Amino acid sequence: APAKNSKVTQFTFPITGGTLATNYSAGTIATAGGIEIVKKGKLLSPTMKIANIAVEFQQKTATVELEITPVPPFPGATGRSSIVDLTFPTNSITSNPTLRQVTIKGAEAKLQPVAAATLNQVFNQGEEKAPPASSEFAAGELLGTFSMVLQAQ
């Protein structure tokens, strides 16, 4: 279920499956759950649901299932979209062969141009007065970091 706390800055999602090459160059790790972003407005209260994140190691991106409401003016469920480019800093991926675990710490998720434009279109319009330019989302902007522990079979 989507998080409802507006003060939450950290989210935990269950890993539901996937594969990963031994050199981390390919594979997909799937998660379940998601977040819901709501902007309460006088004229319009847009909502964006971001769910079922998949980390794509070969492309170094993350894809999500996206739903943007109300319909109209927004499209509703849009299917799976790539929203961020991933950067894995040096030593952010480690493995423990004895425990059969791979740990990822502090990987960076930076907004792709289309995702930044979509966020601006949904959340930075429709009010009586225009939002300040400082509230604009930008391509390459850090959306967040993520960490995960993967257990091999």
Side-chain angles (χ1 to χ4, degrees):
K4 297 285 185 193
N5 186 341
S6 63
K7 307 289 186 218
V8 173
T9 58
Q10 183 174 351
F11 302 95
T12 302
F13 303 109
I15 296 170
T16 57
T19 60
L20 182 60
T22 55
N23 65 357
Y24 321 122
S25 65
T28 301
I29 303 300
T31 69
I35 61 172
E36 183 176 86
I37 304 168
V38 180
K39 178 181 178 183
K40 296 288 184 188
K42 290 179 183 173
L43 302 176
L44 183 68
S45 294
T47 300
M48 180 180 286
K49 293 179 183 177
I50 301 171
N52 303 323
I53 301 164
V55 177
E56 309 279 353
F57 283 85
Q58 185 171 358
Q59 297 87 352
K60 292 187 175 51
T61 61
T63 63
V64 298
E65 292 174 11
L66 206 54
E67 182 179 358
I68 307 168
T69 57
V71 179
F74 300 112
T78 63
R80 186 160 284 282
S81 301
S82 179
I83 63 164
V84 293
D85 292 318
L86 302 176
T87 303
F88 298 95
T90 303
N91 299 322
S92 64
I93 304 177
T94 57
S95 63
N96 182 327
T98 304
L99 295 177
R100 300 179 56 82
Q101 287 182 340
V102 173
T103 301
I104 301 169
K105 287 187 180 176
E108 298 175 340
K110 296 181 180 178
L111 284 173
Q112 294 174 342
V114 171
T118 299
L119 285 163
N120 287 324
Q121 183 180 30
V122 172
F123 295 112
N124 286 336
Q125 54 85 33
E127 294 301 316
E128 292 82 21
K129 84 177 189 182
S134 62
S135 69
E136 292 287 310
F137 294 93
E141 181 177 0
L142 184 66
L143 181 64
T145 60
F146 73 91
S147 300
M148 59 177 60
V149 177
L150 308 171
Q151 182 65 53
Q153 296 293 325

